[in-house]
Amino acid sequence: MIDLLADEMQDLYDAEKQLVKALPKMVKAASSEELSQALGDHLGQTQEQVTRLERAFEMIHKKPRNKACAALKGLVSEAEERMQAEKNEPLSDLAMICAAQKVEHYEIAGYGTLKAWAEDLGLEDVADLLAETLKRRKGGRPEVNRDCRRPSYRHFG
Amino acid sequence: MIDLLADEMQDLYDAEKQLVKALPKMVKAASSEELSQALGDHLGQTQEQVTRLERAFEMIHKKPRNKACAALKGLVSEAEERMQAEKNEPLSDLAMICAAQKVEHYEIAGYGTLKAWAEDLGLEDVADLLAETLKRRKGGRPEVNRDCRRPSYRHFG
């Protein structure tokens, strides 16, 4: 069971690291200043999440391996493809927000599962650390979510 | 904007069709009867979702193209890899539930965005159809969710 927990932690660790690489490109590509700002804030949070996962690995006396998260790779490549295909900038912003929503939900599902597993393994300190990320992710959603996915968003930029 | 909506609908259409193929393998692989049943129910719902998307395509006078959803492909390959690696059956079930959660969240993010876009395009009939799937997805989660992702689930089988 601890190996399954470590495996899923590894998956999210790689996912966060892929995001740390992808987000600066999205910040640069966003045509709206508000979206660019929200994605920039998200980058900072993602770096904090990487640090929290590294602490969680130490707590369970494991080291993160070098294994790619296939799902996040798919999500990122889909987002990049859509952004490149969409020449109209406000629509490219909408495509980016849709991609960001999917990544957020990926993380909520992953961290939610991890937290439940850690609790049942009696690893309260690990569960608390993961709960911290989960709280920020769920609370953080409206930053990108708030009306941004609607076409009225066109008027922001 | 309508092309972006169609593009995202296309993405979810392929995702649902990939799931229609993947779910029977998961139903077969599940060691717990309850999980197997939940996944079987999910297969039925997924087929309904495919039909609703086909109706939505008709409503906007577009046809679904043959384009793979990279993100779902990644999610499914990750799930299959994890299931094969986990020789211990109850742990394989847990890995499967984790994968199912991620797919659910992928759909919630995708359909939520689509619904908002359809509403703002004034496509109320399309929005209603997508809302139906979204309602079932959000309401449907506890079927797989309920305590299943916890290790106590080991006692179900």
Side-chain angles (χ1 to χ4, degrees):
Chain A
M1 179 71 202
I2 188 85
D3 289 337
L4 187 63
L5 179 84
D7 213 40
E8 184 56 27
M9 270 170 57
Q10 165 62 43
D11 183 87
L12 280 167
Y13 185 69
D14 180 79
E16 301 286 18
K17 292 190 91 168
Q18 283 189 52
L19 277 182
V20 167
K21 278 188 195 164
L23 279 166
K25 292 182 214 167
M26 292 171 80
V27 169
K28 214 170 156 183
S31 66
S32 141
E33 206 172 309
E34 187 172 353
L35 176 60
S36 184
Q37 178 70 47
L39 292 168
D41 293 349
H42 194 75
L43 176 59
Q45 289 171 16
T46 305
Q47 282 160 333
E48 285 171 20
Q49 283 160 219
V50 169
T51 308
R52 273 196 289 274
L53 277 174
E54 284 167 351
R55 278 172 52 207
F57 272 112
E58 281 171 22
M59 285 170 175
I60 61 167
H61 310 291
K62 300 256 184 196
K63 279 188 182 169
R65 285 175 299 125
N66 194 12
K67 187 180 167 264
C69 167
L72 218 283
K73 206 172 159 187
L75 277 167
V76 168
S77 76
E78 187 181 282
E80 285 177 346
E81 189 189 314
R82 199 77 69 84
M83 273 154 48
Q84 280 163 7
E86 198 52 73
K87 301 292 175 210
N88 176 318
E89 287 190 340
L91 292 190
S92 163
D93 278 9
L94 284 177
M96 234 185 292
I97 293 158
C98 179
Q101 293 259 346
K102 287 174 175 173
V103 170
E104 282 298 286
H105 274 273
Y106 183 83
E107 292 189 353
I108 289 169
Y111 282 106
T113 302
L114 275 183
K115 179 178 163 279
W117 289 353
E119 277 169 1
D120 285 297
L121 281 164
L123 301 166
E124 291 304 329
D125 46 357
V126 177
D128 288 348
L129 208 53
L130 299 168
E132 177 68 17
T133 292
L134 197 58
K135 198 176 74 187
R136 287 173 189 245
R137 290 273 50 79
K138 284 186 177 171
R141 268 198 294 166
E143 289 170 29
V144 179
N145 219 353
R146 197 191 54 231
D147 287 334
C148 290
R149 63 181 173 187
R150 313 192 88 94
S152 56
Y153 179 71
R154 270 177 279 185
H155 308 303
F156 288 2
Chain B
M1 179 73 204
I2 188 87
D3 288 337
L4 188 64
L5 179 86
D7 213 41
E8 184 56 28
M9 270 169 58
Q10 166 62 43
D11 183 89
L12 281 167
Y13 185 69
D14 181 79
E16 301 286 17
K17 292 190 93 167
Q18 282 189 51
L19 278 181
V20 168
K21 279 189 194 162
L23 279 166
K25 293 182 213 167
M26 292 171 81
V27 169
K28 213 170 158 186
S31 67
S32 140
E33 206 173 309
E34 186 172 352
L35 177 60
S36 185
Q37 177 72 45
L39 292 168
D41 293 347
H42 195 73
L43 176 59
Q45 288 171 17
T46 304
Q47 282 159 332
E48 286 170 20
Q49 285 160 215
V50 168
T51 308
R52 274 197 288 274
L53 277 175
E54 285 167 350
R55 277 173 54 208
F57 271 112
E58 282 171 20
M59 285 170 177
I60 61 166
H61 310 291
K62 300 255 183 196
K63 279 188 182 169
R65 286 176 296 125
N66 194 13
K67 188 180 167 264
C69 168
L72 218 282
K73 204 172 161 190
L75 277 167
V76 168
S77 75
E78 187 181 283
E80 285 177 348
E81 189 189 313
R82 199 79 68 83
M83 272 153 50
Q84 279 163 7
E86 198 52 75
K87 301 292 177 212
N88 176 316
E89 286 190 341
L91 291 190
S92 164
D93 278 10
L94 284 178
M96 233 186 292
I97 293 157
C98 180
Q101 292 260 345
K102 287 175 176 174
V103 170
E104 282 297 287
H105 274 271
Y106 184 82
E107 292 188 353
I108 289 169
Y111 282 105
T113 301
L114 275 183
K115 179 178 162 281
W117 290 351
E119 278 169 1
D120 285 297
L121 281 165
L123 301 165
E124 291 305 328
D125 47 356
V126 176
D128 288 350
L129 208 54
L130 300 167
E132 177 69 16
T133 293
L134 197 59
K135 197 178 74 185
R136 286 172 190 246
R137 290 272 52 77
K138 284 186 177 171
R141 268 196 295 167
E143 289 170 27
V144 178
N145 218 353
R146 196 191 57 231
D147 286 337
C148 289
R149 64 180 172 189
R150 313 194 88 93
S152 56
Y153 179 71
R154 270 175 278 186
H155 308 304
F156 289 3

